[in-house]
Amino acid sequence: MTAQPLTTAELQALDNAHHLHPFTDYADYRKQPGRIITSAEHITITDSDGRHYMDGMSGLWCCNLGYSQESIVEAVTRQLHQLPFYNNFFQCSNQPSVELAARLSALLPDPFNNVFFTNSGSEANDTNLRIVRRYWDLLEQPKKRIVLSRVNGYHGSTIAAASLGGFKFVHNQFEKLPYVEHIQPPNWYAHGRHQSEHDFGIACAQELQKAIDHHGADNVAAFIAEPVQGAGGVIVPPASYWPEVQRILDANDILFISDEVICGFGRTGELFGFQTFNTQPDLITFAKAVTNGYQPLGGVMVSDRIAAVLTASGGEFGHGFTYSGHPAACAAALATLEIMQRDNTVARVKETLAPHFQAGWQALADHPIVGHVRGLGMFGSIELVRNKASGERLGKESEAGATCRQACLDNGLVMRAVGDSMIIAPPLVCSTAELDELLRRATAALDATAAHFGVAV
Ligand SMILES: *Cc1c(COP(=O)(O)O)cnc(C)c1O
């Protein structure tokens, strides 16, 4: 670095004076300045006061391979020397984007043989809306316009992506796209405890049928969903849910967009979440872990059915980004996929890490303030409660979550709070010993949270 390092206090003051952060309560942030993260190694991040934290969230669900992947740095550096940028407009292309398109097509099962590159998951979901619309128009079914999505789904933060997302407080802050409608998610603990998980899963899938009936199948273009809702609280659906949803989509000729921005690249124990749940998407959103977070990159995998329609007819597709297929970002992705192949990351998750992690995570159900545990592959969530039977909260809404999140930090662990649930998504490069340590710290944080609310452990 050329610049003189600033002190923590100097950084915090400048940060507060000039930097508007994403998804942040600014009045709050002024009162409590942020932690400045200065370095990271393997699965540990370090702040400007020299404190270390195990990263239980893989950055923001993206650094699945941790922070010490030198080959990605080298690949990006090499590419920046060779060709730092050229666009993919006007009949041009470049080797990293070509190679990555071919590599992703080879990695995914048929019918996924085409990709449209973006810089983020949000832009990829915008792209999905543009592709879906174009597809139905080219098929001369212009009435198919409505896109169904789910409450508490997260699909990004452009106008289109936030419209697809199902967060009410977000919708209250802008004008949601009028053709996006939301149905209930399969959150059994929040909404279904009076029923068996199986029956509740079917009932939630039937919500999709009801919405289709309400609008008319001729008017519904697509359904978008995460295989497991991530930011909404790691909502693992009942086993009965996805087969019934897929049946309904097929019966009504509605396109299915599987938003794999979190589930993709190994998180669920398969390469993609749709493979874990055996669904058949028409479009797949990816981003985040595709570059291990080392460069911004997202995209849409387009199935043959759609690609055939898009490529058969003339007329320009009026959509794209300056950095679609950016050579340095694509080089980062190629290097990431190379590591995953070399280390057999997905198989290791499925056979070793996920079973080990889930055994420890599910055991947290015995803790006095844990009302419910969910998990799959290498992520999970727990509901914090005072009373396991009634689900009574420990304090005011979100208070237990905020308390536990701070207790995690105090114990050298980053976990995220979603209301009063705690969520975790450890890097896929953890050793089993590191996972044990991470669970030990999570347990210590739960103990501290219980003590804070006067619950005996
Ligand atoms: C993070 C996320 C997005 C948005 O990706 P950005 O790169 O932040 O735009 C979309 N979908 C899901 C499921 C996500 O978790």
Side-chain angles (χ1 to χ4, degrees):
M1 261 209 287
T2 50
Q4 193 66 19
L6 300 174
T7 66
T8 300
E10 284 167 339
L11 284 164
Q12 287 173 333
L14 288 170
D15 193 40
N16 245 332
H18 303 292
H19 186 183
L20 299 172
H21 288 246
F23 283 94
T24 293
D25 177 331
Y26 297 126
D28 224 37
Y29 196 77
R30 298 263 135 125
K31 283 183 243 142
Q32 203 197 359
R35 274 169 304 130
I36 311 286
I37 307 304
T38 48
S39 64
E41 201 186 327
H42 183 42
I43 61 163
T44 298
I45 59 174
T46 301
D47 71 15
S48 56
D49 294 328
R51 278 188 300 249
H52 304 296
Y53 309 89
M54 288 180 97
D55 185 6
M57 285 304 299
S58 303
L60 200 49
W61 320 91
C62 46
C63 303
N64 284 3
L65 308 179
Y67 297 94
S68 299
Q69 297 295 355
E70 201 49 41
S71 65
I72 309 176
V73 179
E74 283 163 12
V76 172
T77 306
R78 223 180 304 121
Q79 186 55 45
L80 288 173
H81 284 301
Q82 170 82 29
L83 176 72
F85 174 72
Y86 201 73
N87 66 71
N88 285 312
F89 293 45
F90 319 127
Q91 323 292 111
C92 285
S93 204
N94 63 68
Q95 180 158 337
S97 63
V98 171
E99 264 192 71
L100 182 59
R103 183 69 169 267
L104 288 168
S105 301
L107 266 178
L108 273 108
D110 277 340
F112 293 101
N113 292 299
N114 282 273
V115 59
F116 190 104
F117 289 120
T118 69
N119 308 293
S120 68
S122 301
E123 291 173 348
N125 280 327
D126 270 51
T127 300
N128 274 319
L129 289 191
R130 299 293 302 276
I131 290 175
V132 163
R133 165 78 182 262
R134 179 100 174 126
Y135 173 80
W136 290 120
D137 278 355
L138 289 170
L139 288 182
E140 297 181 356
Q141 297 201 51
K143 276 170 53 195
K144 276 201 175 277
R145 284 284 185 266
I146 292 169
V147 178
L148 299 173
S149 183
R150 301 184 301 176
V151 172
N152 285 343
Y154 187 76
H155 299 296
S157 202
T158 56
I159 297 282
S163 294
L164 293 171
F167 290 93
K168 199 157 184 250
F169 89 96
V170 176
H171 292 164
N172 288 341
Q173 297 181 6
F174 73 105
E175 311 309 322
K176 177 172 87 61
L177 295 178
Y179 52 83
V180 177
E181 301 286 342
H182 296 84
I183 62 171
Q184 283 306 312
N187 185 340
W188 176 80
Y189 186 77
H191 306 296
R193 273 182 287 163
H194 56 286
Q195 277 174 293
S196 71
E197 290 211 40
H198 175 88
D199 290 352
F200 180 71
I202 299 289
C204 285
Q206 286 300 325
E207 292 291 312
L208 177 63
Q209 183 68 60
K210 279 187 215 154
I212 294 166
D213 291 344
H214 175 77
H215 296 290
D218 289 353
N219 299 313
V220 179
F223 173 60
I224 182 169
E226 302 156 81
V228 173
Q229 283 188 336
V234 187
I235 310 301
V236 182
S240 58
Y241 180 73
W242 278 118
E244 182 66 1
V245 167
Q246 185 67 57
R247 189 191 63 72
I248 292 167
L249 293 170
D250 290 346
N252 292 279
D253 196 19
I254 289 167
L255 296 176
F256 175 35
I257 306 164
S258 189
D259 186 337
E260 303 265 1
V261 172
I262 288 174
C263 291
F265 302 101
R267 181 61 60 191
T268 66
E270 300 286 347
L271 189 58
F272 285 89
F274 79 87
Q275 295 167 309
T276 293
F277 293 105
N278 268 314
T279 57
Q280 283 122 42
D282 300 289
L283 295 157
I284 294 168
T285 319
F286 65 89
K288 294 192 173 130
V290 65
T291 61
N292 199 36
Y294 278 42
Q295 290 281 292
L297 178 73
V300 175
M301 293 300 305
V302 179
S303 64
D304 293 345
R305 167 190 176 178
I306 294 177
V309 172
L310 294 182
T311 55
S313 44
E316 177 177 327
F317 182 42
H319 176 68
F321 303 101
T322 301
Y323 298 133
S324 284
H326 192 290
C330 292
L334 285 165
T336 300
L337 296 176
E338 196 66 45
I339 297 167
M340 291 183 69
Q341 186 174 25
R342 181 196 70 198
D343 295 352
N344 263 320
T345 304
V346 179
R348 183 169 165 267
V349 165
K350 183 175 183 167
E351 284 152 25
T352 309
L353 277 193
H356 188 88
F357 171 66
Q358 289 300 334
W361 186 251
Q362 299 290 339
L364 295 176
D366 296 335
H367 196 279
I369 62 166
V370 172
H372 184 57
V373 179
R374 292 179 291 267
L376 174 79
M378 286 294 283
F379 55 169
S381 54
I382 48 184
E383 300 279 350
L384 304 178
V385 296
R386 181 175 294 278
N387 184 311
K388 285 180 188 257
S390 69
E392 182 198 343
R393 286 180 206 283
L394 284 156
K396 291 199 304 279
E397 189 174 344
S398 301
E399 197 184 337
T403 304
C404 188
R405 182 173 175 279
Q406 184 57 48
C408 287
L409 294 173
D410 295 341
N411 282 281
L413 171 65
V414 176
M415 282 216 284
R416 182 163 153 191
V418 177
D420 286 322
S421 54
M422 297 304 297
I423 63 178
I424 194 164
L428 311 184
V429 290
C430 287
S431 66
T432 51
E434 285 163 343
L435 284 174
D436 292 342
E437 174 59 16
L438 196 143
L439 288 161
R440 193 194 63 73
R441 294 184 190 191
T443 306
L446 288 172
D447 290 348
T449 306
H452 175 91
F453 288 100
V455 175
V457 289

